[in-house]
Amino acid sequence: MKRKKIERNLFNLTLGLMVKQPWLQDLNKPLLSLLEECTYERQQSLLIELLSNFEFLDSIKIKQLLERTISQIFNDWGLSDNNTQIVAMTYDDSADSGQSLLWSLKPLLAQEDKHPKLVNRVGSAIRHLDQYPNIVLIDEFAGTGSTVTNRVKQIKADIDNVMKNKKWDFEVSIKAIIFVGMESTRNTFESLNIDYCCFNWLKKGIAQNYAGVALKKAYKDMLRLESYLANEVSDKPLPSLGYGRAEALYYHEGGNLPNSVFPVFWWPKSYTGENRTPLFFRFQK
């Protein structure tokens, strides 16, 4: 199916967007390519509105959140660095954002003369439990809450086992810090019964920003745009509306985009199998 070319001044259409989201100026070519994929002007307007609501973290904001992390741990929660371990919310040996944050914390911790134990995998935290019984899990983004749920359940079970086997009798605490999370995950965090902190809560891009007829039209337009995308790439199915239907609008400069973001912004192939020029790129193993 050949889509009708929309005759419209895309420069004028994106001018206001560039003012609100100046980081998009460096992505002008893929942005225009994305808008040219649209069949109707209403679809273009939807994409412009969604992009205007993106939460963008550059290196300056990331540093600020890292500093807030240190303050949260040692000031707000009052933990001591000599018995606290900060643990990346990583399960296996694949690189992820939690490990990146852990590495970036190092110089800031040194600046504050704080020297907690830094651990790059959840499973390794148990090795240091007798010396560092205060565990703080950290991660960059929570789209559905499934990752933090699984990690907390895992570490609680591991703690129970080692405490019984070694006949230890001391208090262990588990806390979690997330830089950015979807509001829809709040109940999930609450159900974990641990202290946690999320610095930025995000609304669902369509569900929580539209209502009534406008909501129905927005979903119709987005699903139509998704119909132009390949159903599967490298055995990975298209995550409609973002993984878990999270509808995320989030981008960390230089980071690997979460699959919770609407796939129209990052899915690499069209329904014909051709390569797209996506706005963002995501590495998928």
Side-chain angles (χ1 to χ4, degrees):
M1 181 183 69
K2 186 176 180 179
R3 297 192 297 278
K4 180 179 67 176
K5 178 82 172 181
I6 298 174
E7 297 297 336
R8 183 163 180 169
N9 189 330
L10 294 181
F11 174 78
N12 289 335
L13 184 66
T14 60
L15 188 59
L17 176 62
M18 295 295 186
V19 172
K20 186 172 183 180
Q21 302 280 29
W23 54 274
L24 281 170
Q25 294 175 12
D26 293 331
L27 299 172
N28 187 57
K29 183 178 179 180
L31 174 60
L32 293 180
S33 178
L34 173 64
L35 295 175
E36 287 171 352
E37 288 183 348
C38 298
T39 309
Y40 306 106
E41 290 183 1
R42 198 176 72 191
Q43 294 172 338
Q44 290 183 326
S45 296
L46 172 64
L47 294 180
I48 293 294
E49 289 172 2
L50 293 177
L51 285 168
S52 70
N53 289 327
F54 254 73
E55 177 71 14
F56 171 68
L57 295 187
D58 58 14
S59 58
I60 294 175
K61 289 182 179 178
I62 286 290
K63 182 182 179 184
Q64 291 171 342
L65 294 180
L66 289 168
E67 291 170 343
R68 288 181 64 183
T69 296
I70 294 172
S71 180
Q72 179 69 40
I73 294 172
F74 301 111
N75 295 332
D76 296 351
W77 284 334
L79 300 182
S80 172
D81 61 338
N82 60 18
N83 62 7
T84 297
Q85 53 179 311
I86 304 176
V87 184
M89 215 172 292
T90 306
Y91 176 71
D92 53 25
D93 56 1
S94 297
D96 73 1
S97 59
Q99 294 171 333
S100 174
L101 297 181
L102 206 65
W103 178 261
S104 299
L105 272 173
K106 284 187 171 184
L108 299 178
L109 286 165
Q111 183 177 330
E112 296 294 323
D113 196 25
K114 298 293 185 182
H115 302 279
K117 182 71 177 177
L118 303 181
V119 181
N120 64 3
R121 287 200 307 168
V122 170
S124 299
I126 303 304
R127 302 176 189 172
H128 318 287
L129 195 61
D130 55 337
Q131 289 183 281
Y132 301 93
N134 293 319
I135 299 171
V136 180
L137 303 172
I138 64 168
D139 207 353
E140 175 197 340
F141 179 78
T144 64
S146 60
T147 295
V148 66
T149 297
N150 292 336
R151 301 301 179 265
V152 169
K153 286 182 177 180
Q154 175 196 345
I155 202 166
K156 282 185 175 180
D158 290 345
I159 289 171
D160 286 344
N161 287 334
V162 75
M163 296 292 278
K164 290 178 182 177
N165 291 337
K166 293 185 175 292
K167 296 182 172 55
W168 283 342
D169 184 19
F170 53 83
E171 187 175 348
V172 177
S173 73
I174 303 171
K175 305 180 190 298
I177 293 178
I178 305 294
F179 279 19
V180 180
M182 301 303 295
E183 276 191 357
S184 53
T185 67
R186 279 182 183 266
N187 289 339
T188 299
F189 277 88
E190 294 292 340
S191 68
L192 296 174
N193 295 317
I194 64 170
D195 290 331
Y196 73 91
C197 175
C198 178
F199 297 130
N200 295 309
W201 291 110
L202 302 185
K203 294 180 178 180
K204 286 195 170 190
I206 291 178
Q208 293 182 286
N209 285 302
Y210 297 85
V213 175
L215 177 65
K216 293 180 181 179
K217 287 182 177 179
Y219 275 129
K220 180 179 179 180
D221 290 336
M222 179 55 73
L223 293 176
R224 179 67 180 272
L225 287 169
E226 288 187 357
S227 73
Y228 304 146
L229 306 178
N231 289 326
E232 183 180 282
V233 174
S234 301
D235 297 325
K236 298 287 185 180
L238 178 76
S240 181
L241 303 178
Y243 178 76
R245 303 178 76 85
E247 302 184 28
L249 299 172
Y250 169 69
Y251 174 49
H252 167 199
E253 183 180 27
N256 195 38
L257 195 79
N259 60 2
S260 303
V261 174
F262 289 98
V264 71
F265 296 116
W266 60 273
W267 199 244
K269 292 186 180 293
S270 70
Y271 72 103
T272 63
E274 298 178 44
N275 290 329
R276 300 173 69 227
T277 306
L279 200 59
F280 310 111
F281 288 91
R282 171 178 166 77
F283 177 85
Q284 300 200 93
K285 58 183 178 180

